[in-house]
């Protein structure tokens, strides 16, 4: 039951009944080998800011207005997972795949005016699809005294927003690879260093000239030193 009232003048009441089951199954078919399946549904209700039907005109070139008639998102997710761990070599592999379907997805509706200013609001669109695949591999390199970790992610998302009253299908395909190393003997000094490269392929149905491929490269490090029980430096 969702009720929205503004200044005791406009009131919207929504009554919805959702079936949100959850089923989980895991099977350890061998020591350190495990399969898993997880199915679940959930409901995401709109926030008060999303429902507020007043115009935010702090920036007159980009105005925002909520939508008092928004319905909750109805989300269905399926996850498949596989875990491998070798207790002798301390090598581990975690692989998973997630599929998500969202009904009544809350997304943007954009109106672009002749002076190129725009007004943004929120609406419920019919469908939103998302696929995520991930592989996480880690193993020690004893000769170098370090642990090596590699993470590879693939994400595909297709959703709908509105531009001047027309449906605009957005498709994003993201590839991400992270490599990192940390020292094995970390009683006092703990060092982690690595980097990530991410490639995003974005496509738009209405204005194909906006189609772009983005590259994001990042490096990171985390250093911690604990000389005794009373001091910690990071």
């Amino acid at each position: 039951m969702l009720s929205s009232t503004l200044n005791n003048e406009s009131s919207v009441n929504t009554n919805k009944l959702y079936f949100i089951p959850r089923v989980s199954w895991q099977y350890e078919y061998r020591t350190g080998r495990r399969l898993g399946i997880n199915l679940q549904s959930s409901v995401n209700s709109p926030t008060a800011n999303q429902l507020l039907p007043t115009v935010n005109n702090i920036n007159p070139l980009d105005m925002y207005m909520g939508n008092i008639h928004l319905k909750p998102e109805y989300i269905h997710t399926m996850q498949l997972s596989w875990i491998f761990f070798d207790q002798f070599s301390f090598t581990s592999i975690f692989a998973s795949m997630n599929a998500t379907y969202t009904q009544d997805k809350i997304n943007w509706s954009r109106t672009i005016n002749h002076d190129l200013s725009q007004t943004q609001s929120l609406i419920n669109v019919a469908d939103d699809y998302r696929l995520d695949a991930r592989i996480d591999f880690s193993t020690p390199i004893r000769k170098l005294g370090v642990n090596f970790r590699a993470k590879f992610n693939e994400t595909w998302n297709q959703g709908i927003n509105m531009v001047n009253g027309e449906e605009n299908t957005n498709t994003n395909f993201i590839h991400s690879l992270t490599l990192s190393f940390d020292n094995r003997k970390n009683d006092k000094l703990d060092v982690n260093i690595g980097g990530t490269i991410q490639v995003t392929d974005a496509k738009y149905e209405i204005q194909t000239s906006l189609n772009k491929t983005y590259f994001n490269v990042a490096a990171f490090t985390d250093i911690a030193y604990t000389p005794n029980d009373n001091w910690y430096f990071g």
Side-chain angles (χ1 to χ4, degrees):
M1 301 175 63
L2 184 64
S3 178
S4 304
T5 305
L6 180 64
N7 296 333
N8 296 320
E9 294 181 0
S10 57
S11 179
V12 174
N13 299 302
T14 303
N15 296 321
K16 290 282 187 177
L17 180 63
Y18 294 97
F19 180 55
I20 48 174
R22 175 175 295 181
V23 178
S24 181
W25 174 84
Q26 290 190 358
Y27 174 53
E28 188 171 9
Y29 60 93
R30 187 178 168 187
T31 302
R33 317 286 198 276
R34 179 178 296 181
L35 291 171
I37 300 176
N38 186 52
L39 302 171
Q40 65 178 19
S41 297
S42 60
V43 174
N44 180 36
S45 297
T47 65
N49 184 57
Q50 291 174 326
L51 292 168
L52 188 62
T54 57
V55 177
N56 183 337
N57 58 0
I58 293 177
N59 181 0
L61 297 178
D62 189 2
M63 295 185 290
Y64 166 79
M65 183 174 64
N67 182 358
I68 200 172
H69 297 285
L70 285 178
K71 296 182 290 184
E73 297 176 333
Y74 192 20
I75 307 165
H76 309 277
T77 303
M78 179 181 68
Q79 181 186 58
L80 306 176
S81 62
W82 177 66
I83 297 175
F84 167 90
F85 177 71
D86 189 339
Q87 58 185 339
F88 299 104
S89 65
F90 290 95
T91 297
S92 65
I93 302 174
F94 175 77
S96 66
M97 179 176 289
N98 294 349
T100 302
Y101 167 69
T102 303
Q103 184 179 347
D104 292 325
K105 173 74 174 178
I106 298 174
N107 221 332
W108 293 104
S109 177
R110 188 186 313 267
T111 300
I112 301 174
N113 305 309
H114 294 295
D115 60 358
L116 298 184
S117 65
Q118 59 183 356
T119 303
Q120 300 185 73
S121 185
L122 295 168
I123 60 171
N124 293 104
V125 297
D127 305 302
D128 188 272
Y129 303 91
R130 185 182 182 92
L131 288 174
D132 295 280
R134 172 187 172 188
I135 297 178
D136 193 329
F137 170 81
S138 64
T139 188
I141 305 177
R142 292 180 172 83
K143 291 183 179 181
L144 301 178
V146 299
N147 295 314
F148 169 71
R149 186 178 183 186
K151 293 191 298 182
F152 182 68
N153 289 74
E154 289 282 311
T155 301
W156 175 85
N157 176 244
Q158 186 175 84
I160 301 172
N161 59 28
M162 304 295 292
V163 178
N164 290 352
E166 295 186 35
E167 285 192 357
N168 181 34
T169 301
N170 301 335
T171 304
N172 291 307
F173 200 10
I174 303 173
H175 323 273
S176 175
L177 175 65
T178 300
L179 303 178
S180 64
F181 299 87
D182 61 85
N183 57 319
R184 300 192 65 202
K185 294 182 179 180
N186 51 11
D187 296 335
K188 291 187 176 182
L189 183 63
D190 192 356
V191 179
N192 178 266
I193 187 170
T196 299
I197 180 170
Q198 179 176 295
V199 182
T200 302
D201 188 12
K203 294 183 178 179
Y204 306 90
E205 181 183 22
I206 288 182
Q207 193 169 357
T208 57
S209 61
L210 295 177
N211 294 351
K212 295 291 184 181
T213 300
Y214 302 91
F215 291 86
N216 183 17
V217 181
F220 57 86
T221 183
D222 186 16
I223 303 174
Y225 178 58
T226 310
N228 52 50
D229 294 338
N230 298 321
W231 288 94
Y232 171 85
F233 301 92

